[in-house]
Amino acid sequence: MYQLSRRKLLTATAGSAAALALPMPFIRRANAAGRNTLVFASAEPVTGNWDPTSHTSLGQINFEGFVFGQLFRTPMRASNPTEMVWELATGQKLIDPYTLEISLRDGVTFHNGASFGAADVKATMEYFTDPARPASAFFPGQCEVEVVDRLTARVHTKKFGFPASAFQFMGGYMAILSAADVKNPSVLAQRPNGTGPFKFADQKGNVTYLAAFDKYYQGRPILDQVQFSYVGDATTRVLGLLSGDIDILQRLEPEQYATLKKDQRVAVSRKLSTENKYLHFRCNKKPFDNPLVRLAACHAIDRSQIMDLMGDAGGQSSDYISPLKFGYETVPNYPEFDADKCQALLKQAGFPNGQGLPEIDYITSTGFYPKTKDYGELITGMMQDQGFNVKLNVMETGAWGDVLYQHKGQEPAGHMIDCGWSTATPEPDMVLRAMFYSKAGPVGGIINGISDPEIDAAFDAEHNETDTAKRQALVGKATEVIASKAPSLSLFTSVNLNAVNAHLKDFYIFPNGPMDVHKASFAA
């Protein structure tokens, strides 16, 4: 049975200084001894399940970046967004339209001492793409994997009716699992076992302790320990950074970013992300089951005002994917602010000046994404001006996550809900199919619940095209179809505002959030 939950909190502690459950004396001793421990402050908690296929939580994906290896990484720098950096794989090639062959690296071991090989790739890919797994929403469909030899695997897709080229970027997202662990999902749930530079050591409250993996294939990390700490309050995170008790934090508020830029104790960065922020309409719930009402709502919203509010944390976008994604374009029919169109559509839908519309419950979160409450209030006011009876419902991150997704046989919470969607590769379908394809979730799009044959046909066309240039054009056509139906409104592309201890060197933050710190150290 398909059940998707954003997270199950390990504790209820959030939004206060008490959430910073860090062992301060240990950190200070480590500082005096030369800084061998890195403390990462996460704005989102990990879940109570260590199985990477059990969730779509960005906080947990960030955690997994320290522990699990992938076939390759996609740094997605603006200058070369499709670049691949080989990791557990050394290369891949299409054998035929439905077969992708992957060559694997020798000499890699899991944290439990088991050797890595093609059997692990087979188990991982088939498990991740199983429709029963929540994380399968990221992927183009199921696959079967053939073990050719110990270091060669072949991905087959013909049985499932789409080309193997759809998996060309997928190896940059999957956390590679041990085949033995996949056979026993309870083991996966209880303890993470990867090939990454740090291995799971312990968990106490909101802090997960990771230790350097001595047998990491690229060499033992310089750092001895990473502490992954959930700190729910943005101000507490910044104070921890300035005091030296935190070394890395992400998703700064724009005002925090502006202040920290001036502080010599801190190094800040501003990078375009792979994440767009969406206002999702519950398309399987009145009144937003009517596309005319959805389009009217879109035309009620002046996104330029939201951009002014977001400042450094937002990037202009009139598409449903980030500019770092393959197929990005400015969608020609993207709905823009137009009060006259809004009123005309409301009248056409049978709600002149909004008369007869029910109260609209608009759900947003606080503590994770920057400025959600602020722009939520702005959107609420703009829609009210056009006759929508909108009530803003601000939830803490955990509660918001629990009502985010659609479930079979259940009416979704609220009428509108906002959310970001950040993925680790240039592949657009990791966003578009999850959000807008009828088979992505139990009732349609996993958040908005859209189920529309015309949208499905547009996605099937681009999904099945093997010619790169033709597929790029078809991705654009698909986004035009989405814009005509407006199951969601992409408000802007998120810009990652990060801050780190100024002494931390030789690390990389990926545009979707995870970090590479296997060569990182603290300079004097």
Side-chain angles (χ1 to χ4, degrees):
M1 183 177 181
Y2 187 108
Q3 285 289 332
L4 185 58
S5 176
R6 180 73 168 182
R7 65 192 62 77
K8 293 182 179 178
L9 298 183
L10 291 169
T11 71
T13 306
S16 69
L20 185 55
L22 304 179
M24 299 301 186
F26 175 81
I27 295 174
R28 289 177 184 136
R29 284 196 296 272
N31 287 348
R35 296 294 309 197
N36 60 358
T37 295
L38 181 145
V39 180
F40 178 94
S42 175
E44 187 178 29
V46 294
T47 74
N49 185 337
W50 296 115
D51 181 346
T53 74
S54 69
H55 68 90
T56 60
S57 165
L58 183 57
Q60 186 129 340
I61 290 170
N62 287 343
F63 164 82
E64 290 165 0
F66 295 106
V67 175
F68 290 95
Q70 297 176 345
L71 295 178
F72 53 82
R73 303 282 179 174
T74 48
M76 287 178 290
R77 298 177 178 91
S79 60
N80 187 10
T82 60
E83 176 190 11
M84 294 180 181
V85 178
W86 299 106
E87 191 172 291
L88 301 186
T90 57
Q92 63 183 19
K93 61 182 178 181
L94 284 170
I95 301 298
D96 61 53
Y98 299 101
T99 307
L100 179 69
E101 183 175 279
I102 305 171
S103 301
L104 304 175
R105 190 177 302 278
D106 199 5
V108 177
T109 60
F110 286 93
H111 296 158
N112 67 356
S115 296
F116 160 76
D120 304 302
V121 173
K122 172 181 171 64
T124 297
M125 296 190 73
E126 292 180 351
Y127 187 49
F128 260 99
T129 63
D130 181 343
R133 303 310 301 156
S136 67
F138 285 118
F139 296 99
Q142 279 187 271
C143 66
E144 291 181 345
V145 181
E146 171 193 0
V147 176
V148 178
D149 57 42
R150 186 174 66 87
L151 296 176
T152 309
R154 286 184 175 176
V155 181
H156 297 286
T157 60
K158 188 173 184 178
K159 176 180 176 180
F160 304 102
F162 64 93
S165 58
F167 274 98
Q168 65 177 331
F169 290 121
M170 292 297 102
Y173 178 76
M174 288 184 182
I176 297 298
L177 310 173
S178 162
D181 291 346
V182 173
K183 289 180 180 178
N184 188 352
S186 65
V187 172
L188 280 176
Q190 292 169 10
R191 186 182 184 91
N193 173 38
T195 62
F198 294 89
K199 60 183 181 180
F200 179 85
D202 197 7
Q203 185 168 43
K204 295 179 181 178
N206 288 323
V207 184
T208 306
Y209 296 87
L210 306 176
F213 181 39
D214 291 338
K215 295 182 179 180
Y216 181 53
Y217 81 97
Q218 293 191 59
R220 185 192 187 280
I222 297 170
L223 297 168
D224 291 331
Q225 188 181 67
V226 170
Q227 293 176 11
F228 190 93
S229 304
Y230 169 50
V231 186
D233 179 67
T235 301
T236 302
R237 293 194 294 270
V238 171
L239 292 175
L241 179 70
L242 293 174
S243 70
D245 293 324
I246 288 172
D247 299 307
I248 303 173
L249 55 87
Q250 297 178 333
R251 295 189 179 272
L252 293 169
E253 296 285 344
E255 296 84 0
Q256 295 171 336
Y257 173 76
T259 298
L260 292 175
K261 281 173 66 175
K262 305 171 186 176
D263 197 307
Q264 294 184 349
R265 294 170 291 178
V266 174
V268 298
S269 64
R270 181 180 185 270
K271 293 183 179 180
L272 191 68
S273 79
T274 58
E275 174 188 83
N276 278 22
K277 281 301 299 291
Y278 303 92
L279 180 63
H280 294 289
F281 304 109
R282 301 297 201 184
C283 299
N284 54 339
K285 184 175 182 178
K286 291 184 181 301
F288 292 123
D289 58 338
N290 186 336
L292 297 175
V293 179
R294 300 195 299 262
L295 282 165
C298 293
H299 287 302
I301 297 170
D302 184 353
R303 293 186 299 123
S304 68
Q305 293 188 42
I306 299 173
M307 288 302 302
D308 290 342
L309 179 69
M310 292 305 299
D312 286 323
Q316 184 69 43
S317 174
S318 293
D319 197 355
Y320 293 94
I321 52 177
S322 161
L324 296 178
K325 292 285 187 179
F326 174 82
Y328 170 83
E329 66 172 22
T330 296
V331 179
N333 61 329
Y334 200 83
E336 301 290 352
F337 173 65
D338 188 322
D340 291 338
K341 282 187 178 180
C342 173
Q343 291 303 319
L345 287 162
L346 284 176
K347 184 177 181 179
Q348 186 180 350
F351 303 106
N353 300 311
Q355 296 174 16
L357 286 172
E359 181 178 83
I360 305 295
D361 184 16
Y362 170 18
I363 299 173
T364 191
S365 63
T366 185
F368 181 46
Y369 300 109
K371 295 288 184 185
T372 44
K373 181 176 182 292
D374 301 283
Y375 72 68
E377 291 172 346
L378 191 59
I379 289 171
T380 298
M382 289 188 285
M383 291 184 66
Q384 288 174 344
D385 288 345
Q386 299 302 322
F388 289 89
N389 182 18
V390 178
K391 179 183 177 182
L392 183 62
N393 184 358
V394 182
M395 295 183 173
E396 61 87 18
T397 306
W400 162 84
D402 288 339
V403 300
L404 179 62
Y405 293 105
Q406 299 269 351
H407 298 281
K408 190 173 183 179
Q410 298 179 24
E411 183 178 86
H415 300 86
M416 307 188 305
I417 189 166
D418 68 44
C419 180
W421 198 255
S422 185
T423 55
T425 83
E427 174 55 55
D429 278 358
M430 294 188 75
V431 178
L432 296 175
R433 289 179 75 87
M435 296 295 104
F436 306 112
Y437 194 60
S438 67
K439 297 178 182 178
V443 299
I446 63 174
I447 299 174
N448 54 37
I450 188 67
S451 181
D452 185 284
E454 190 177 353
I455 292 177
D456 285 355
F459 280 129
D460 288 340
E462 64 87 6
H463 184 62
N464 293 324
E465 180 55 63
T466 58
D467 180 271
T468 300
K470 291 179 180 178
R471 186 183 177 221
Q472 184 170 359
L474 288 171
V475 170
K477 292 293 184 184
T479 55
E480 291 175 31
V481 175
I482 297 170
S484 72
K485 309 280 186 170
S488 307
L489 179 68
S490 179
L491 300 171
F492 55 87
T493 298
S494 298
V495 176
N496 287 337
L497 304 180
N498 307 311
V500 303
N501 183 312
H503 297 288
L504 184 66
K505 307 297 181 186
D506 299 325
F507 64 93
Y508 182 74
I509 302 176
F510 291 91
N512 64 313
M515 299 187 62
D516 179 1
V517 297
H518 82 276
K519 294 181 179 179
S521 64
F522 289 96

